[in-house]
Amino acid sequence: MRYCFIIITLSILTLHGREAPAIIPRPVEMVQLEGYFSINQSTQIIYTPDCKQEADYLQKILAADTNPNLVSLSSTPVQSNFISLEINKALHMPEEGYLLIVTESNIHLQAATAHGIFNGIQTLRQLADSSGPLIPAVRITDYPRFPYRGMHLDVARHFFNADFIKKYIDLMAELKMNHFHWHLTDEQGWRLEIKKYPNLTQTGGFRKETLIGHSLDFPERYDGIPYGGFYTQQEIRDIVRYAKERHITIIPEIEMPGHSRAALAAYPDLGCTGGPYDVNTRWRRKPDVFCAGREFTFEFLENVLDEVMALFPGLYIHIGGDECLKERWQECEFCQNRIRTENLKDEHELQSYFITRIEKYLNSKGRHIIGWDEILEGGLAPNATVMSWRGFTGGITAAKSGHNVIMAPVEYTYFNTYQAQPEYEFLAFQGYLPLNKVYRYDPVPENLPSEYHHYIIGSQGNIWTEYIKNTDQLEYMLNPRLAAMAEVLWTPREMKNWQSFQNRLGSYLNHLDNKEIKYSSGSFKIDITTARDTIENRYYFLLNSEQPDPVIRFTTDGTVPTTSSQLYTSPVFLKNTTQVTAAHFQKGKIYRGVFQKTINLHVGMSATLKVFNFTDSTYNQSEDNVLIDGLYGEKKFDNDNWQIFENSDFSVHMDFATPTEISDMTINFAEYSMVWASFPEFVTVSISDDGENFHEIQKIMSDTIAPVDHIKTFSVTVNSQKIKALKIFAKNRVYKQPALSSLLVDEIFVK
Ligand code: ACM
Ligand code: ZN
């Protein structure tokens, strides 16, 4: 009967149109009940003794937000008007989960762990935030999808002080994130006080000056201003405690063997040549890295790691491992001697020796290592967790060999890339990652067999700070992408919904406004896409932006839209090749740029496309038919029209419903250093008039021009033959990064 009552109540609520409370990340299950709980001066918090810390935390945030006189009480029995926090170990709840019931007379929050209570408190805070002191009655059952939900921060390229780090941790905690990956050392600065080696911070913590502009700008210019800073061990302990109270584990990253120049500047005997070295002042790497042949390197690192372990009690220590240049090792007698005495094949195996030796040391102290995916090269250390940043491939390989994986692919998780159209943004690392792309990210690749899924323990957002000079800029890059990532990592995949997220986002942005935290208000970029009605074989174009209620006007004659141009309301029918020009309008004026694309209708668009070798399909940057959507990928930060093929050849099969006359075809490949894409070695095209027997009509050889970014068109003459099917194959080449090589492909244009 009670169940029925809830159903009836719900339908009444729907009739009255009460909006669902805006909770981010979206809870697993939320049932709205009738009425509100009102927090007032006599509301009391009661709690079981094992969650006193959480009760104190709740009291503090409610006092700050709503009610300064709220009292915390441990065991006084009260009849109503209370908020109870109860750890109930018998509760059947996944780790970190909670059950929150708000009625008109009280609020019950239960969990099996204090962490679960803390997560429930964050939901409660958002309920209060989105509706004031009146908290809507609800019953919420909630728990996370992934155990590892992280956020990274590089403090080596630019330094952010201890107070700001606490603010960062608070932002994470409010969204139920639970790991803070703190990148403390790199070529441009060593930021962690180590008592045994004071020069690390006194020398390695400061650089002479800093590059102005982008690392690809030429000629290089420097600002002439000394720059630096570091955290004392006292500050670190305070931050670790602060994070622990918020159920966030800090993972310190001490980079080795590469990205280590600041340490070399402090102690030149750590390098192969013995120095002298400066703390790097530009963003491009220099060749000097820790010497893998000298014993002093390992003695030093073990001593450093002893102090690191004393400061950071968490299980994981991140040892970096990425992008280690090998040229010094090739020339160093100590390193070459190590290769000989340890029977190693090459410098990749020397890197593996290095990482495995450090892993053994940390394992002997009860700790585990995390390393970037380069630690796979030359053989993976036996117990390592792999952080896969160069796409999904490294993570897939690691999972298949039984290692835990934290996914962090550049394309979806690097928040130092642009999140809106670059001409209106701060200078940033190249790459375009708007909010909706973070939102559609899934850390578990579709093609990873399900028996390996549990090795993907989660993912994280990453912020590298080469171009991020101050906290305003950092907050702007972080928010609201952090909120999208939090939902990706917490909410069940089937409950993710972009429209719903956008509806809830406003309330979160208000919260950031109240705390005077900066964020990007979304992109005013307009995505021009096409859709095919397969029944009628008709084509449409669509205009989308991240704005909640956009006013978009467009033309199809190449002119810039005006206030009298057609207002976009729904997909527009395409009769032939069309140039679409669109813009946002605010107060009768174009706001933030004009967007234009030519949609080239061609016969290939009517084919059925079969794409083989979809090894990393989740890495692909757009919808399935992007290869025959009439739109060319452009050489910009936005790659939504490209398809990527990581470590695999490109192979497609196009079938026409009836024999079709074709004169020629073109296909575009791109070289794009950010995703390790280079031109194929060759492209072949084969045709068939029966759909079964093919013969090759052309083979085109190609060079690579990397690392500069280019597009190249491969053209094939078919000579007006009537064909039933077409096969295109492109051979992937091994790029300079041995572990990753991709092909970036766009429109197969068929005339
Ligand atoms: C990285 O971005 N080098 C891990
Ligand atoms: Zn060496």
Side-chain angles (χ1 to χ4, degrees):
M1 278 314 290
R2 190 177 155 73
Y3 187 66
C4 288
F5 170 75
I6 291 170
I7 304 267
I8 291 161
T9 310
L10 261 182
S11 61
I12 291 167
L13 288 174
T14 311
L15 282 177
H16 287 221
R18 192 173 91 181
E19 277 187 26
I23 312 293
I24 296 177
R26 190 180 198 179
V28 173
E29 187 185 303
M30 174 161 66
V31 179
Q32 288 176 260
L33 309 173
E34 193 158 28
Y36 293 87
F37 177 84
S38 166
I39 296 182
N40 57 35
Q41 307 242 330
S42 46
T43 303
Q44 295 189 334
I45 298 172
I46 56 175
Y47 55 89
T48 51
D50 39 6
C51 56
K52 172 160 191 336
Q53 183 180 296
E54 286 66 35
D56 287 344
Y57 176 87
L58 174 63
Q59 198 219 2
K60 225 179 286 168
I61 57 170
L62 286 179
D65 285 1
T66 50
N67 193 322
N69 297 316
L70 208 68
V71 240
S72 243
L73 280 181
S74 142
S75 56
T76 315
V78 275
Q79 292 300 313
S80 65
N81 196 12
F82 62 81
I83 302 173
S84 80
L85 310 184
E86 183 192 349
I87 293 185
N88 176 356
K89 295 205 163 66
L91 193 69
H92 284 289
M93 264 281 161
E95 183 79 19
E96 295 191 53
Y98 64 91
L99 176 65
L100 175 66
I101 301 170
V102 179
T103 67
E104 287 190 309
S105 51
N106 50 50
I107 294 176
H108 276 288
L109 173 57
Q110 279 190 77
T113 62
H115 198 168
I117 295 289
F118 185 80
N119 288 329
I121 286 172
Q122 295 306 337
T123 297
L124 184 55
R125 187 190 55 71
Q126 291 193 12
L127 284 171
D129 253 11
S130 63
S131 43
L134 290 181
I135 298 185
V138 284
R139 180 192 166 92
I140 293 175
T141 311
D142 201 12
Y143 47 85
R145 178 176 168 199
F146 292 102
Y148 183 102
R149 304 179 305 281
M151 194 64 224
H152 152 284
L153 180 64
D154 162 22
V155 293
R157 276 54 178 265
H158 283 99
F159 178 70
F160 299 90
N161 70 22
D163 283 344
F164 182 80
I165 298 300
K166 288 183 179 173
K167 201 171 171 187
Y168 200 80
I169 286 169
D170 276 327
L171 284 168
M172 290 176 57
E174 288 177 356
L175 293 164
K176 307 186 177 83
M177 301 291 259
N178 63 5
H179 285 86
F180 172 43
H181 170 183
W182 204 358
H183 184 82
L184 287 161
T185 70
D186 214 301
E187 294 201 14
Q188 295 81 3
W190 182 286
R191 305 282 173 233
L192 170 67
E193 181 190 25
I194 297 294
K195 302 277 192 198
K196 195 171 174 77
Y197 299 111
N199 281 356
L200 281 174
T201 43
Q202 276 161 24
T203 302
F206 297 86
R207 59 178 178 256
K208 190 172 89 198
E209 56 188 355
T210 302
L211 185 82
I212 296 172
H214 200 277
S215 74
L216 299 174
D217 291 351
F218 187 80
E220 285 180 346
R221 288 183 306 131
Y222 290 84
D223 64 8
I225 304 167
Y227 183 89
F230 64 90
Y231 308 100
T232 64
Q233 293 206 349
Q234 190 50 41
E235 284 177 311
I236 296 280
R237 273 189 218 98
D238 182 46
I239 290 169
V240 168
R241 179 197 50 76
Y242 190 86
K244 182 162 184 270
E245 283 171 11
R246 284 150 185 79
H247 295 275
I248 287 179
T249 303
I250 300 185
I251 298 174
E253 181 179 352
I254 307 298
E255 268 273 16
M256 62 187 82
H259 288 279
S260 46
R261 195 181 176 86
L264 269 53
Y267 296 96
D269 284 350
L270 293 166
C272 291
T273 65
Y277 308 103
D278 61 346
V279 178
N280 201 351
T281 53
R282 64 177 200 193
W283 309 129
R284 268 182 290 159
R285 282 168 291 158
K286 291 186 173 173
D288 302 289
V289 302
F290 285 130
C291 177
R294 296 177 197 238
E295 277 306 294
F296 174 56
T297 303
F298 294 95
E299 182 194 317
F300 166 86
L301 285 171
E302 289 178 6
N303 287 333
V304 166
L305 289 169
D306 283 346
E307 292 194 33
V308 169
M309 284 185 280
L311 290 168
F312 297 95
L315 178 65
Y316 294 117
I317 307 287
H318 200 307
I319 49 75
D322 59 314
E323 298 186 311
C324 178
L325 296 171
K326 309 289 192 307
E327 54 198 85
R328 290 289 184 257
W329 288 0
Q330 282 161 356
E331 293 155 5
C332 169
E333 63 173 295
F334 300 102
C335 287
Q336 291 306 313
N337 190 42
R338 178 84 73 194
I339 287 178
R340 275 192 301 277
T341 55
E342 295 291 331
N343 273 326
L344 305 172
K345 201 167 78 209
D346 55 15
E347 286 72 24
H348 294 296
E349 289 199 356
L350 183 57
Q351 164 162 310
S352 174
Y353 164 85
F354 195 115
I355 303 293
T356 303
R357 184 164 165 179
I358 295 293
E359 178 183 68
K360 221 179 264 171
Y361 184 72
L362 289 171
N363 285 172
S364 77
K365 309 278 174 183
R367 304 302 182 96
H368 278 261
I369 67 161
I370 300 178
W372 299 104
D373 57 71
E374 285 92 334
I375 66 169
L376 284 153
E377 294 161 14
L380 189 51
N383 306 310
T385 294
V386 170
M387 191 168 268
S388 188
W389 72 284
R390 297 176 302 169
F392 291 89
T393 310
I396 291 170
T397 306
K400 285 184 174 170
S401 57
H403 286 256
N404 279 347
V405 171
I406 296 159
M407 284 295 185
V410 173
E411 275 284 298
Y412 286 104
T413 70
Y414 274 34
F415 294 176
N416 47 320
T417 52
Y418 289 100
Q419 64 188 314
Q421 67 267 37
E423 55 270 41
Y424 300 100
E425 298 284 292
F426 299 111
L427 176 70
F429 186 70
Q430 75 260 38
Y432 181 65
L433 178 59
L435 189 65
N436 64 36
K437 188 162 175 181
V438 178
Y439 195 80
R440 74 169 186 255
Y441 164 55
D442 195 309
V444 179
E446 257 168 41
N447 59 319
L448 181 68
S450 58
E451 69 260 37
Y452 301 114
H453 285 189
H454 67 281
Y455 289 116
I456 314 294
I457 60 173
S459 184
Q460 65 181 25
N462 299 280
I463 298 196
W464 302 95
T465 57
E466 287 92 338
Y467 305 108
I468 301 175
K469 297 185 169 126
N470 57 52
T471 56
D472 279 2
Q473 210 178 333
L474 180 53
E475 289 171 7
Y476 182 91
M477 298 305 270
L478 178 68
N479 301 309
R481 289 188 281 204
L482 174 63
M485 183 60 79
E487 188 146 314
V488 164
L489 298 178
W490 179 281
T491 304
R493 194 209 302 243
E494 62 280 7
M495 286 191 60
K496 268 173 67 187
N497 179 297
W498 168 244
Q499 194 62 49
S500 155
F501 178 75
Q502 276 189 307
N503 291 341
R504 285 173 284 127
L505 189 60
S507 179
Y508 181 65
L509 298 182
N510 284 342
H511 171 68
L512 295 182
D513 282 334
N514 291 338
K515 293 178 73 166
E516 298 184 353
I517 289 168
K518 305 285 182 298
Y519 56 85
S520 163
S521 61
S523 185
F524 285 84
K525 178 172 174 296
I526 296 172
D527 288 322
I528 303 172
T529 58
T530 60
R532 172 178 164 195
D533 170 351
T534 46
I535 297 162
E536 305 269 339
N537 208 23
R538 285 154 63 110
Y539 300 92
Y540 296 84
F541 72 81
L542 291 79
L543 304 178
N544 286 305
S545 87
E546 284 189 356
Q547 295 308 306
D549 293 303
V551 178
I552 297 176
R553 295 182 185 277
F554 69 93
T555 66
T556 54
D557 60 3
T559 60
V560 173
T562 65
T563 46
S564 49
S565 299
Q566 193 170 341
L567 185 68
Y568 178 79
T569 52
S570 59
V572 182
F573 175 53
L574 278 164
K575 289 191 205 66
N576 32 46
T577 288
T578 302
Q579 189 172 41
V580 179
T581 312
H584 278 281
F585 281 76
Q586 278 192 3
K587 299 187 181 134
K589 279 203 189 119
I590 287 183
Y591 192 71
R592 287 202 164 194
V594 174
F595 300 86
Q596 190 171 68
K597 264 194 177 161
T598 300
I599 301 164
N600 301 279
L601 291 194
H602 60 90
V603 294
M605 291 171 77
S606 65
T608 304
L609 189 73
K610 184 159 182 205
V611 182
F612 299 91
N613 293 345
F614 243 51
T615 29
D616 283 319
S617 61
T618 45
Y619 197 68
N620 275 321
Q621 302 170 12
S622 194
E623 311 308 318
D624 291 345
N625 270 341
V626 59
L627 293 171
I628 48 167
D629 64 355
L631 293 160
Y632 285 105
E634 289 167 34
K635 198 196 142 193
K636 277 198 181 164
F637 297 93
D638 165 8
N639 289 298
D640 268 9
N641 281 296
W642 298 97
Q643 286 275 11
I644 194 160
F645 296 82
E646 273 184 17
N647 286 352
S648 69
D649 299 326
F650 168 77
S651 173
V652 298
H653 196 139
M654 290 175 87
D655 260 310
F656 295 94
T658 55
T660 302
E661 196 159 323
I662 286 172
S663 62
D664 46 68
M665 59 148 293
T666 59
I667 178 165
N668 284 346
F669 286 86
E671 290 200 317
Y672 188 43
S673 49
M674 202 178 100
V675 292
W676 301 275
S678 51
F679 295 145
E681 265 179 59
F682 61 83
V683 177
T684 60
V685 175
S686 309
I687 57 173
S688 166
D689 49 19
D690 59 5
E692 285 176 15
N693 301 301
F694 286 84
H695 68 276
E696 187 176 302
I697 55 167
Q698 200 155 343
K699 178 173 184 174
I700 307 168
M701 303 303 292
S702 171
D703 286 333
T704 171
I705 321 176
V708 186
D709 306 338
H710 302 274
I711 295 171
K712 181 161 164 176
T713 301
F714 292 74
S715 305
V716 174
T717 304
V718 187
N719 275 338
S720 301
Q721 304 189 43
K722 277 207 165 185
I723 64 165
K724 184 74 174 53
L726 191 64
K727 269 193 207 171
I728 306 163
F729 176 85
K731 181 77 187 150
N732 197 338
R733 82 171 64 235
V734 177
Y735 192 43
K736 358 175 253 241
Q737 297 271 0
L740 186 62
S741 153
S742 38
L743 290 171
L744 209 51
V745 189
D746 187 35
E747 200 68 4
I748 305 169
F749 183 84
V750 184
K751 217 162 69 181

